[in-house]
Amino acid sequence: METKSPFLDTIFLLRKEECITLFSSLQQISAQEEMEAADYFEAEFEKERLEFLSDQLSCSKESAVWAAKVLYHSAQLYLIREDTEKNIENLIPEFKGERNISSILSADLSLRFLPQIIVALNSADPEDPLIAMLESILRQFHYSGVGYDLDLKNVNWKEELKDNTYRKLYLERIVEKRDYQLAEIPFINKLLTAEFGMHKDTFWRELKTITEDNHENV
């Protein structure tokens, strides 16, 4: 699906092929491109919604487009830094909307690829200030950062995972990414153990069982 729009082409290719195109200069994203991206993400959200079987959630177009712009700009900034330092907060803006399940899952359509970009940036320059900005976004949208080493010690997991659909998706991603750091948090470990039941060794043999009182392995 080629559009001759660097922004849209980057997003389409990344979601379809999991690869990214780097351009020689940063192009401004037009309102028309944002509208086309919003419609695209709404359709993609509906496809994924069929997998988690919830008719209570709808796509937050604003969150999806914000995340796509963050992803696009962070990827392009891997190569292009000329005259961007003063404008970087406009290129990687903070999230201004309401953080809820719909916005988390909508933003994830793009933010799930952000850890790979951070790893690439870190390989090029571990002191790059852009890394801290992107990690801050991932701490806010940490569902997209499962598998990446984030400091989430301030998260109230009981409150965070109170929604049944979101909890199921979060646990599934922890298992998919084999994220031991999250899986060994006592509250999450208890949820995973309950999900696995008698089949724990089939799903994740190496995972330790953690007691909630003393954090000891069983």
Side-chain angles (χ1 to χ4, degrees):
M1 188 188 296
E2 194 168 327
T3 65
K4 301 192 184 305
S5 156
F7 171 55
L8 295 174
D9 287 343
T10 296
I11 299 305
F12 295 157
L13 185 63
L14 186 58
R15 284 193 50 81
K16 185 178 180 182
E17 306 289 346
E18 293 197 14
C19 61
I20 202 158
T21 303
L22 298 176
F23 296 91
S24 58
S25 62
L26 278 171
Q27 305 293 321
Q28 188 168 357
I29 299 169
S30 69
Q32 179 62 34
E33 288 174 305
E34 289 193 20
M35 288 174 58
E36 289 183 36
D39 290 342
Y40 168 73
F41 283 119
E42 185 176 41
E44 291 295 289
F45 187 92
E46 286 303 306
K47 290 178 190 174
E48 296 202 0
R49 192 167 67 84
L50 295 175
E51 297 179 13
F52 53 80
L53 299 175
S54 172
D55 58 1
Q56 304 300 312
L57 297 171
S58 57
C59 180
S60 167
K61 290 185 176 183
E62 295 81 4
S63 304
V65 171
W66 163 79
K69 291 167 73 174
V70 166
L71 183 70
Y72 168 71
H73 284 139
S74 60
Q76 301 310 314
L77 287 168
Y78 177 72
L79 282 185
I80 305 164
R81 289 301 175 91
E82 187 177 354
D83 299 326
T84 61
E85 190 173 337
K86 293 180 181 179
N87 195 35
I88 199 163
E89 290 186 2
N90 292 325
L91 296 172
I92 311 292
E94 293 182 359
F95 180 66
K96 304 292 187 184
E98 179 185 356
R99 184 184 182 276
N100 53 37
I101 308 303
S102 289
S103 64
I104 290 168
L105 298 182
S106 300
D108 178 63
L109 294 168
S110 291
L111 294 186
R112 67 183 62 168
F113 301 105
L114 198 57
Q116 298 163 250
I117 292 174
I118 298 176
V119 169
L121 290 167
N122 192 64
S123 297
D125 179 8
E127 303 301 318
D128 190 340
L130 178 58
I131 294 171
M133 295 177 69
L134 299 179
E135 286 184 338
S136 177
I137 287 172
L138 274 189
R139 279 192 295 273
Q140 187 178 12
F141 290 86
H142 47 81
Y143 172 62
S144 299
V146 173
Y148 182 82
D149 186 13
L150 289 171
D151 180 5
L152 300 176
K153 63 178 180 291
N154 294 323
V155 175
N156 179 336
W157 290 106
K158 189 172 183 179
E159 179 67 21
E160 178 74 18
L161 300 179
K162 65 182 181 181
D163 178 85
N164 290 339
T165 298
Y166 180 49
R167 180 171 64 246
K168 176 179 179 293
L169 293 171
Y170 208 111
L171 295 178
E172 286 176 352
R173 185 163 291 184
I174 289 173
V175 175
E176 175 194 347
K177 298 288 187 180
R178 288 295 193 264
D179 191 323
Y180 283 91
Q181 183 172 307
L182 287 175
E184 293 182 358
I185 291 171
F187 179 74
I188 293 177
N189 189 267
K190 186 177 180 180
L191 293 175
L192 285 170
T193 301
E195 286 290 323
F196 294 155
M198 296 174 60
H199 305 288
K200 175 189 172 296
D201 285 356
T202 302
F203 289 107
W204 199 344
R205 176 187 293 273
E206 301 81 10
L207 181 64
K208 299 170 183 175
T209 301
I210 313 294
T211 59
E212 197 154 0
D213 294 333
N214 54 20
H215 295 203
E216 290 181 356
N217 303 336
V218 177

